[in-house]
Amino acid sequence: MKKQGPGFNPEEIIFCPTSLCNLKCAHCFVDQKNSRLNLNDSLAFLDDCLGHLSDFKIGFSGGEPFLALDFVNAVCKKAFDAGLMFDRLMTNGVWWNNEDDLARCLTSVRDAGFDGKIGLSFDVFHGQPIDKIFTFIDTCHRIFSDNSCVEILSVIDAKDSKKDSEWFEKQIDEIKKRLDLEWITCYRFPQSFVPSEKIVLGDKKWFAEDYCQATGNVFYVHADGNIAPCCGFANERPELFIGTIKDSFETLMENSRASKMTGLCYETGLLSKAKELQKNKILSKGKCNDMCQLCYWMCRHADEI
């Protein structure tokens, strides 16, 4: 197919040091098997990328990254010494046992050089005790000396979005009141669902085609060492993998250029491909407003499309 989009151009490495988590949320797509990312391989991979990319960011996801604190601190120190910028360190905010434990962990991350945003996953699915959330945010502000260091990322319950929004607004108002904050940055996202074998296109409008620029252009390093080219939930599909943590930068880029799914996401465009599949009656008529859901379906049927 004729290239249309900008292609895959990695701008960030997101490390998932462990697949383990202290919570089991109904909306989570991560397989919580006992996978841990090898630190030496990760540091070597970071070194290799430093030789090929002039400027990129470092982020952390999971699982719960704070359950692999030594890994996070070691990568942070190397990234800081290399002059790299940090993106988000994602967390559920309630992995700690007591306040001294929380302060010790956050201080160690700060001292390792991390100065990015703490991305707090907070919604009805996580079910965190609100008092622990108060303590977590307050301690982050104190340790990092920055009342803007925490950003809340929240998934909207699709079963009752109105009730969910009312609940969320009430929680945020209570957080601001309790911690004497004028504002706290919040991002809300619609709930995604793994599509069935026959995906139902029942939305009112298509997603805006951006050739996966908003969720992509990253090396997303899973806890088992597999690397995907985006941070969308479909990145759990093996059809999106472009290599492993043991592969060189050049190999990953060669694999990405040869990958059918990477080409669809970054060059052809998922929306363009979906409309072609509809024309050929492989996809039913209708619209889909969730590009990751459509990507997941295309991964599952990659041999057919």
Side-chain angles (χ1 to χ4, degrees):
M1 291 185 179
K2 184 179 180 181
K3 180 175 178 178
Q4 298 172 331
F8 174 60
N9 301 293
E11 300 172 348
E12 180 176 0
I13 302 174
I14 299 177
F15 289 103
C16 299
T18 178
S19 62
L20 295 177
C21 185
N22 55 303
L23 300 179
K24 293 186 182 298
C25 302
H27 72 322
C28 181
F29 298 103
V30 177
D31 185 358
Q32 290 187 22
K33 55 189 177 183
N34 189 12
S35 297
R36 290 183 177 272
L37 196 51
N38 183 277
L39 176 59
N40 290 332
D41 288 342
S42 299
L43 295 178
F45 177 64
L46 185 51
D47 261 334
D48 190 25
C49 288
L50 284 168
H52 293 87
L53 296 173
S54 58
D55 185 26
F56 61 98
K57 295 180 180 180
I58 299 295
F60 299 92
S61 188
E64 173 52 61
F66 278 98
L67 296 183
L69 185 62
D70 289 345
F71 179 102
V72 172
N73 287 341
V75 171
C76 281
K77 187 176 187 311
K78 186 170 188 66
F80 176 81
D81 290 344
L84 298 177
M85 295 183 66
F86 293 97
D87 194 5
R88 291 192 184 99
L89 196 172
M90 294 300 302
T91 178
N92 59 49
V94 294
W95 39 265
W96 43 279
N97 297 314
N98 53 61
E99 292 186 36
D100 288 341
D101 181 38
L102 171 62
R104 176 187 62 81
C105 292
L106 290 176
T107 299
S108 71
V109 171
R110 180 203 65 191
D111 292 348
F114 181 82
D115 60 358
K117 297 295 184 181
I118 302 293
L120 174 61
S121 294
F122 177 64
D123 45 47
V124 295
F125 298 102
H126 285 79
Q128 300 110 315
I130 192 65
D131 284 345
K132 291 196 77 170
I133 292 298
F134 294 146
T135 301
F136 176 76
I137 297 174
D138 191 43
T139 306
C140 284
H141 290 173
R142 176 169 56 84
I143 297 297
F144 288 93
S145 301
D146 181 3
N147 282 358
S148 66
C149 67
V150 176
E151 294 181 337
I152 293 178
L153 289 85
S154 179
V155 175
I156 302 168
D157 186 356
K159 292 181 180 178
D160 192 338
S161 59
K162 181 179 180 181
K163 182 179 179 181
D164 180 278
S165 295
E166 291 173 351
W167 173 87
F168 184 77
E169 290 174 10
K170 182 179 179 180
Q171 302 304 310
I172 297 302
D173 287 343
E174 186 64 25
I175 289 172
K176 290 191 290 186
K177 180 181 178 181
R178 176 94 169 253
L179 301 181
D180 192 24
L181 300 172
E182 291 185 6
W183 56 271
I184 185 167
T185 301
C186 300
Y187 299 99
R188 304 220 72 196
F189 306 95
Q191 184 180 357
S192 290
F193 296 92
V194 171
S196 61
E197 287 296 327
K198 284 192 174 183
I199 186 171
V200 178
L201 305 182
D203 294 328
K204 295 181 179 179
K205 62 179 181 179
W206 284 106
F207 57 85
E209 178 64 82
D210 72 342
Y211 298 97
C212 296
Q213 298 301 293
T215 57
N217 287 330
V218 303
F219 287 137
Y220 192 98
V221 188
H222 289 282
D224 62 3
N226 284 308
I227 296 179
C230 73
C231 63
F233 83 86
N235 73 3
E236 295 282 334
R237 293 293 308 184
E239 294 84 1
L240 274 174
F241 296 163
I242 56 174
T244 76
I245 192 68
K246 292 181 178 294
D247 289 321
S248 67
F249 176 88
E250 293 100 326
T251 297
L252 292 173
M253 294 307 293
E254 287 175 6
N255 291 346
S256 72
R257 287 188 287 270
S259 166
K260 183 174 187 177
M261 286 307 304
T262 304
L264 289 179
C265 292
Y266 289 95
E267 298 175 3
T268 305
L270 291 171
L271 181 56
S272 176
K273 183 62 177 180
K275 290 182 176 180
E276 175 193 318
L277 293 175
Q278 284 185 327
K279 184 177 180 180
N280 294 332
K281 297 183 179 181
I282 297 174
L283 264 181
S284 62
K285 292 183 178 180
K287 297 177 181 178
C288 178
N289 198 31
D290 186 340
M291 74 168 68
C292 292
Q293 186 181 50
L294 188 62
C295 181
Y296 193 103
W297 182 88
M298 288 187 182
C299 284
R300 181 181 277 169
H301 296 273
D303 292 339
E304 305 167 30
I305 63 175

